[in-house]
Structures are given as C-alpha cells and as structure tokens.
C-alpha cells in the first residue's frame, strides 16, 4: 500500500469509528412533580437527543395516588438516569433496583425539584447530597453554602429548602478544573429562574462545582448557594443541578437558555462516563 492509500485508509477507519460510536443511553424518569413535568421532560429529552451524544427514553410513573407497584424502570439498561420526579414513594423493589444501579456505577442526574423528593429515604438523600422541603430539618444534615469564599457546613436548626422571587442571576465556577466545568468561563449569567437556598442533606462525597449569590433583596439568604454539584455513591456518579424551574407560564427561560442546556449536557455525560468530551461553552459575564 502506498503512503497516500495508507493515509486514506487511516482516515476512513477513523471516520467509521466516529460514525459507529453508539449514543449514550439515558433514561428520563418523570410522571409526578410539582412542576410541569410533561414540558420539562420533553425539553430535557430534546436537548439529550439533539446533542447526538445521547439517546434518551422517558419512564413515566403512574399519577399521584395510583398504584406505584407497576412502576419498574429498567435502570440497568442505561448509563445515566435523569430524575425529573417529585412525587409518591416508589415500591421497595424499584427503590432497591435504583440503589443497585447507582452502587454498581450507574450515573444519576438530579434535576431541580427532584431534590425535593423522598425526604425519608436515607440512601436517596445520600445520593442527591442535598435536598429541600418535605419537612427536611437539621436531622437531614447540614446546610451547605459558601460564605466569604469558604465552604460552610452549617448544622444550625431550621427547615431545608427555600427560594426567593425568580430572577436572572450570575453563576460562579468554584471547581474550574472539574471535567464538567473545564472550558466554561469563571462566571456567566443564568436566565430567570428560582435560586434554591437553604438546601441541606447528608452532603457525603459532595463537591460544589458552582454557586450563585442569593441576594436578600430577592428574598434570599445573603449566601453563595450551591447550584451545580457532584456526589459519588458506591461506584455511581451523580450530577445535581438545582437549575431549571418549569412552571405554568408559557415560557420557560430557566431551561430554555444555554446556561441550563450546556451544564445539563456536560453533567449528564460526566455522570454516565466520568469524562466530558463536549466543548460547548458559555459567554463570560
Ligand atoms: Zn421550581
């Protein structure tokens, strides 16, 4: 084979390898939420599929108060499970299957109000790291936030989970070298959203990737609150984004912005594979 043919063959094989790369299978779990889950699940799925890096399926639970025993997603068929669920308890079998999935290295993405769910399920709270509402209190674990540039684990008494009025806010990178954050600017502006504050939970193996200042004049805490996080549990990797409120309004700026899409897709890839190959970034602000 002459050099030209060898070079051509090399490129042909490289191209074939790229073309034959199977998309990462992701399962979006939804069906009950205090948010407009049909809309949010459809937007999440759209982002995953159009990236061509993922192929998303959706598991829709029975409605609130219905028979949950029939809800048995095949978690183990997927590299990442995106939780867009805040509702009735799953069956013991489904809970056990989810824990086995994460323990064995399955990826999880905790999206917005998914961290409100299952306040009494110990392992679930270890997996999400921090949660809010559902009568969470000091018994759930410390408040986690940044104050004067330092991570604070605050064990003071009080409820978990709150947010002020919806507004646009600046997100600041904390762990700039983490694969999810690498290549993103030091800070950027996130579209109008709820900024969760006073989240609390076990916070074991938790890394805060980015924070946002929760201003008191918008009803916040005056602290830098975690907005993007990772947790490890067993062999599983968890990406937790508090961003992305989808309510009854006609428009959903909190998810229909590049800030949400880029961080969600990067976080999902990291949860699924432990690496981020995407080079999409954001405009510095
Ligand atoms: Zn919300």
């Amino acid at each position: 084979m002459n050099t030209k043919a060898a070079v051509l063959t090399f490129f042909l094989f490289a191209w074939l390898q790229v073309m034959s790369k199977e998309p990462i299978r992701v399962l979006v779990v939804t069906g009950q939420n205090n948010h407009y889950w049909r809309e949010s699940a459809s937007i999440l799925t759209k982002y995953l599929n159009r990236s061509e890096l993922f192929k998303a399926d959706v598991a829709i639970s029975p409605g609130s108060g219905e028979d949950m025993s029939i809800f048995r997603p095949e978690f183990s068929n997927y590299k990442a499970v995106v939780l867009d669920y805040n509702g009735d308890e799953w069956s013991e079998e489904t809970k056990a299957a989810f824990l086995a999935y994460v323990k064995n290295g399955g990826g999880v993405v905790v999206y917005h109000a998914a961290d409100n769910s299952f306040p009494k399920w110990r392992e679930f709270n270890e997996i999400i790291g921090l949660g809010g509402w559902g009568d969470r209190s000091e018994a759930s674990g410390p408040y986690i936030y940044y104050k004067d540039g330092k991570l604070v684990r605050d064990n003071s008494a009080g409820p978990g989970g709150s947010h002020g009025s919806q507004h646009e806010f600046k997100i600041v990178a904390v762990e700039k070298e983490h694969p999810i954050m690498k290549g993103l600017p030091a800070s950027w502006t996130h579209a109008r959203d709820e900024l969760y504050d006073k989240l609390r939970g076990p916070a074991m193996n938790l890394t805060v990737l980015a924070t946002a200042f929760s201003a008191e004049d918008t009803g916040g805490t005056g602290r830098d609150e975690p907005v993007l996080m990772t947790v490890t549990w067993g062999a599983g990797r968890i990406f937790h984004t508090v961003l992305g409120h989808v309510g009854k309004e006609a428009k959903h700026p909190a998810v229909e912005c590049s800030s949400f899409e880029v961080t969600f897709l990067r976080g999902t890839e990291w949860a699924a594979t432990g690496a981020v190959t995407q080079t999409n970034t954001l405009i510095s602000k």
Side-chain angles (χ1 to χ4, degrees):
M1 197 187 290
N2 65 32
T3 316
K4 214 171 186 178
V7 168
L8 271 174
T9 311
F10 171 81
F11 278 109
L12 179 67
F13 273 101
W15 180 76
L16 280 174
Q17 231 171 3
V18 170
M19 292 306 287
S20 64
K21 208 172 171 202
E22 287 289 314
I24 300 165
R25 295 193 68 195
V26 177
L27 182 67
V28 177
V29 173
T30 190
Q32 292 184 39
N33 208 309
N34 57 323
H35 292 73
Y36 274 40
W37 60 265
R38 286 182 198 281
E39 194 65 25
S40 56
S42 134
I43 295 168
L44 298 177
T45 306
K46 177 180 77 180
Y47 289 165
L48 290 164
N49 288 335
R50 83 176 177 194
S51 75
E52 295 184 352
L53 188 59
F54 307 99
K55 186 184 175 304
D57 292 331
V58 182
I60 299 176
S61 75
S64 177
E66 292 177 12
D67 177 13
M68 289 296 287
S69 69
I70 58 164
F71 185 56
R72 296 178 144 192
E74 290 286 347
F75 300 115
S76 59
N77 288 346
Y78 298 89
K79 295 281 277 180
V81 169
V82 176
L83 298 174
D84 179 15
Y85 183 90
N86 177 22
D88 292 353
E89 295 286 323
W90 296 345
S91 69
E92 290 308 315
E93 290 78 10
T94 297
K95 285 184 172 185
F98 180 70
L99 295 183
Y101 162 80
V102 184
K103 196 173 194 171
N104 293 328
V108 179
V109 176
V110 181
Y111 156 63
H112 196 58
D115 69 14
N116 298 192
S117 48
F118 308 131
K120 302 274 182 287
W121 180 7
R122 181 176 59 85
E123 293 91 343
F124 180 80
N125 283 277
E126 291 172 2
I127 287 168
I128 64 173
L130 295 175
W133 295 272
D135 291 328
R136 283 174 169 86
S137 71
E138 57 274 21
S140 313
Y143 293 119
I144 298 286
Y145 53 86
Y146 271 76
K147 190 80 189 168
D148 303 323
K150 289 200 183 73
L151 181 84
V152 181
R153 297 175 72 91
D154 177 350
N155 289 300
S156 62
S162 182
H163 61 74
S165 59
Q166 292 186 34
H167 62 289
E168 211 179 76
F169 50 85
K170 189 163 99 168
I171 295 181
V172 178
V174 177
E175 288 291 334
K176 299 187 178 78
E177 294 303 309
H178 190 282
I180 297 172
M181 301 302 292
K182 209 170 167 114
L184 295 184
S187 66
W188 67 89
T189 302
H190 182 65
R192 188 173 190 272
D193 199 349
E194 288 169 343
L195 173 50
Y196 279 9
D197 62 53
K198 297 199 191 107
L199 295 181
R200 62 191 317 167
M204 294 152 54
N205 308 317
L206 176 121
T207 303
V208 177
L209 301 180
T211 60
F213 181 67
S214 170
E216 283 167 296
D217 62 9
T218 54
T221 53
R223 304 164 178 164
D224 294 304
E225 297 287 347
V227 292
L228 304 175
M229 297 164 259
T230 62
V231 177
T232 54
W233 195 86
R237 284 176 298 270
I238 298 101
F239 170 65
H240 183 163
T241 175
V242 307
L243 305 173
H245 174 80
V246 173
K248 62 181 188 302
E249 303 80 12
K251 292 198 168 171
H252 312 293
V255 282
E256 288 171 337
C257 62
S258 51
S259 164
F260 181 85
E261 183 178 358
V262 166
T263 52
F264 168 69
L265 291 176
R266 282 171 163 258
T268 305
E269 186 180 6
W270 179 82
T273 69
V276 176
T277 60
Q278 300 162 69
T279 52
N280 290 355
T281 187
L282 295 163
I283 298 163
S284 174
K285 268 274 170 66

